[in-house]
PDB file of all heavy atoms in Angstrom:
ATOM      1  N   GLY K  37       0.420   7.362 -41.563  1.00 68.00           N
ATOM      2  CA  GLY K  37       1.198   7.894 -40.453  1.00 68.00           C
ATOM      3  C   GLY K  37       0.548   9.057 -39.731  1.00 68.00           C
ATOM      4  O   GLY K  37       1.016   9.479 -38.664  1.00 68.00           O
ATOM      5  N   GLN K  56      -6.169  19.965  -8.904  1.00 94.00           N
ATOM      6  CA  GLN K  56      -6.905  19.231  -9.922  1.00 94.00           C
ATOM      7  C   GLN K  56      -5.922  18.699 -10.977  1.00 94.00           C
ATOM      8  O   GLN K  56      -5.016  19.414 -11.408  1.00 94.00           O
ATOM      9  CB  GLN K  56      -7.928  20.146 -10.607  1.00 94.00           C
ATOM     10  CG  GLN K  56      -9.029  20.652  -9.681  1.00 94.00           C
ATOM     11  CD  GLN K  56     -10.082  19.602  -9.387  1.00 94.00           C
ATOM     12  OE1 GLN K  56     -10.301  18.692 -10.182  1.00 94.00           O
ATOM     13  NE2 GLN K  56     -10.734  19.726  -8.247  1.00 94.00           N
ATOM     14  N   SER K 118      -6.693   2.315 -16.541  1.00 92.00           N
ATOM     15  CA  SER K 118      -5.950   1.747 -17.667  1.00 92.00           C
ATOM     16  C   SER K 118      -6.150   0.248 -17.813  1.00 92.00           C
ATOM     17  O   SER K 118      -6.344  -0.263 -18.915  1.00 92.00           O
ATOM     18  CB  SER K 118      -4.451   2.031 -17.509  1.00 92.00           C
ATOM     19  OG  SER K 118      -4.193   3.404 -17.372  1.00 92.00           O
ATOM     20  N   GLU K 152      -4.749  14.715  13.267  1.00 83.00           N
ATOM     21  CA  GLU K 152      -3.996  15.956  13.458  1.00 83.00           C
ATOM     22  C   GLU K 152      -2.641  15.824  12.780  1.00 83.00           C
ATOM     23  O   GLU K 152      -1.990  14.791  12.884  1.00 83.00           O
ATOM     24  CB  GLU K 152      -3.799  16.264  14.951  1.00 83.00           C
ATOM     25  CG  GLU K 152      -5.098  16.538  15.706  1.00 83.00           C
ATOM     26  CD  GLU K 152      -4.858  16.903  17.148  1.00 83.00           C
ATOM     27  OE1 GLU K 152      -3.680  17.078  17.512  1.00 83.00           O
ATOM     28  OE2 GLU K 152      -5.832  17.024  17.900  1.00 83.00           O
ATOM     29  N   GLU K 166      10.549  22.912  10.630  1.00 98.00           N
ATOM     30  CA  GLU K 166       9.305  22.666   9.898  1.00 98.00           C
ATOM     31  C   GLU K 166       9.565  21.562   8.871  1.00 98.00           C
ATOM     32  O   GLU K 166      10.504  21.664   8.068  1.00 98.00           O
ATOM     33  CB  GLU K 166       8.825  23.924   9.192  1.00 98.00           C
ATOM     34  CG  GLU K 166       7.513  23.702   8.441  1.00 98.00           C
ATOM     35  CD  GLU K 166       7.010  24.940   7.716  1.00 98.00           C
ATOM     36  OE1 GLU K 166       7.611  26.021   7.896  1.00 98.00           O
ATOM     37  OE2 GLU K 166       6.025  24.824   6.962  1.00 98.00           O
ATOM     38  N   PHE K 198      13.960  27.388  11.982  1.00 98.00           N
ATOM     39  CA  PHE K 198      13.755  28.657  12.681  1.00 98.00           C
ATOM     40  C   PHE K 198      14.748  28.721  13.833  1.00 98.00           C
ATOM     41  O   PHE K 198      14.735  27.856  14.720  1.00 98.00           O
ATOM     42  CB  PHE K 198      12.327  28.751  13.222  1.00 98.00           C
ATOM     43  CG  PHE K 198      11.265  28.548  12.168  1.00 98.00           C
ATOM     44  CD1 PHE K 198      10.637  27.316  12.023  1.00 98.00           C
ATOM     45  CD2 PHE K 198      10.904  29.584  11.321  1.00 98.00           C
ATOM     46  CE1 PHE K 198       9.658  27.121  11.060  1.00 98.00           C
ATOM     47  CE2 PHE K 198       9.927  29.407  10.352  1.00 98.00           C
ATOM     48  CZ  PHE K 198       9.303  28.173  10.219  1.00 98.00           C
ATOM     49  N   VAL K 258      -3.595  -3.632   2.675  1.00 87.00           N
ATOM     50  CA  VAL K 258      -2.745  -3.532   1.487  1.00 87.00           C
ATOM     51  C   VAL K 258      -2.104  -2.154   1.477  1.00 87.00           C
ATOM     52  O   VAL K 258      -2.787  -1.127   1.450  1.00 87.00           O
ATOM     53  CB  VAL K 258      -3.569  -3.749   0.202  1.00 87.00           C
ATOM     54  CG1 VAL K 258      -2.673  -3.612  -1.031  1.00 87.00           C
ATOM     55  CG2 VAL K 258      -4.223  -5.123   0.215  1.00 87.00           C
ATOM     56  N   ALA K 262       4.544  -2.446  -4.509  1.00 60.00           N
ATOM     57  CA  ALA K 262       5.211  -3.625  -5.074  1.00 60.00           C
ATOM     58  C   ALA K 262       4.196  -4.665  -5.530  1.00 60.00           C
ATOM     59  O   ALA K 262       4.430  -5.396  -6.501  1.00 60.00           O
ATOM     60  CB  ALA K 262       6.153  -4.237  -4.039  1.00 60.00           C
TER      61      ALA K 262
END
Side-chain angles (χ1 to χ4, degrees):
Q56 296 283 334
S118 304
E152 296 183 7
E166 181 180 353
F198 305 99
V258 179

